[in-house]
Amino acid sequence: MNNLNNIQSFSSKLLIVFGFALFALPLMDTALWFAATLFNSQSFQSTFPIEVTLPLSFSRSMLGYLPSMLPTLLSCAILWQLILLFRLYKKGQVFTLDNTIRYRKIANILIMMPFVQVLSDILLSIALSYTEDNVEGGFNISDSEISMLVIGLIVRVIAKVMEEASLIREEQELTI
């Protein structure tokens, strides 16, 4: 029972962190996007899928903002699923089918992440080059996107293990 209390206590603390991150992540990404595209800041290095001259016009910056936020939205979706998962842990529900659903959704989002990143890069390169003589489309695949895919597959296996554990727990509760 002490382990369950530890899980519940730790879950309460993580819920605060995840809630803050869910709020802060899109705000920080928005601030960084506009700081990088509207001001020629030497404070940080920004990269784009195509060659661009900074600062961008406000309209080009706004047009590029939408596709640049796609990966951030997926990260927020993962954070939301983690919040839902750790709410269950906080209630003491560790091996349940609801947990399995959360793990499966997290895995699916992680698996989608590299594909959405490629889509985001293509849409961003089109948005940033639409006023040029020729519209460009480009994308990069990095090892972090491949890592997300592999991690997503691993979490998918963990979801299956959690599903089996919840079924075993249910069987044990029904056994006299």
Side-chain angles (χ1 to χ4, degrees), residues 71-84:
T72 302
L73 293 175
L74 279 185
S75 296
C76 287
I78 290 172
L79 284 169
W80 179 247
Q81 291 303 315
L82 287 170
I83 287 170
L84 296 176

Side-chain angles (χ1 to χ4, degrees), residues 35-36 38-46 54:
L38 295 177
F39 308 104
N40 198 2
S41 175
Q42 302 300 326
S43 301
F44 52 89
Q45 185 71 25
S46 54
L54 297 175

Side-chain angles (χ1 to χ4, degrees), residues 106-127:
I106 291 168
N108 291 341
I109 296 167
L110 287 168
I111 291 168
M112 286 179 5
M113 190 73 83
F115 303 104
V116 170
Q117 184 64 51
V118 167
L119 176 65
S120 173
D121 283 352
I122 291 170
L123 293 174
L124 182 58
S125 61
I126 291 170

Side-chain angles (χ1 to χ4, degrees), residues 5-25:
N5 289 339
N6 290 340
I7 291 170
Q8 290 172 317
S9 174
F10 189 60
S11 295
S12 295
K13 293 171 186 158
L14 282 177
L15 279 169
I16 294 168
V17 173
F18 293 149
F20 175 77
L22 183 64
F23 177 74
L25 182 62

Side-chain angles (χ1 to χ4, degrees), residues 62-117:
M62 283 299 294
L63 193 58
Y65 171 73
L66 298 174
S68 76
M69 289 298 287
L70 290 176
T72 302
L73 293 175
L74 279 185
S75 296
C76 287
I78 290 172
L79 284 169
W80 179 247
Q81 291 303 315
L82 287 170
I83 287 170
L84 296 176
L85 177 67
F86 280 86
R87 280 182 185 166
L88 292 170
Y89 289 164
K90 183 179 175 183
K91 293 177 185 175
Q93 299 175 5
V94 179
F95 295 109
T96 66
L97 288 177
D98 284 341
N99 294 18
T100 302
I101 291 167
R102 301 294 156 230
Y103 277 108
R104 197 175 300 127
K105 287 182 178 184
I106 291 168
N108 291 341
I109 296 167
L110 287 168
I111 291 168
M112 286 179 5
M113 190 73 83
F115 303 104
V116 170
Q117 184 64 51

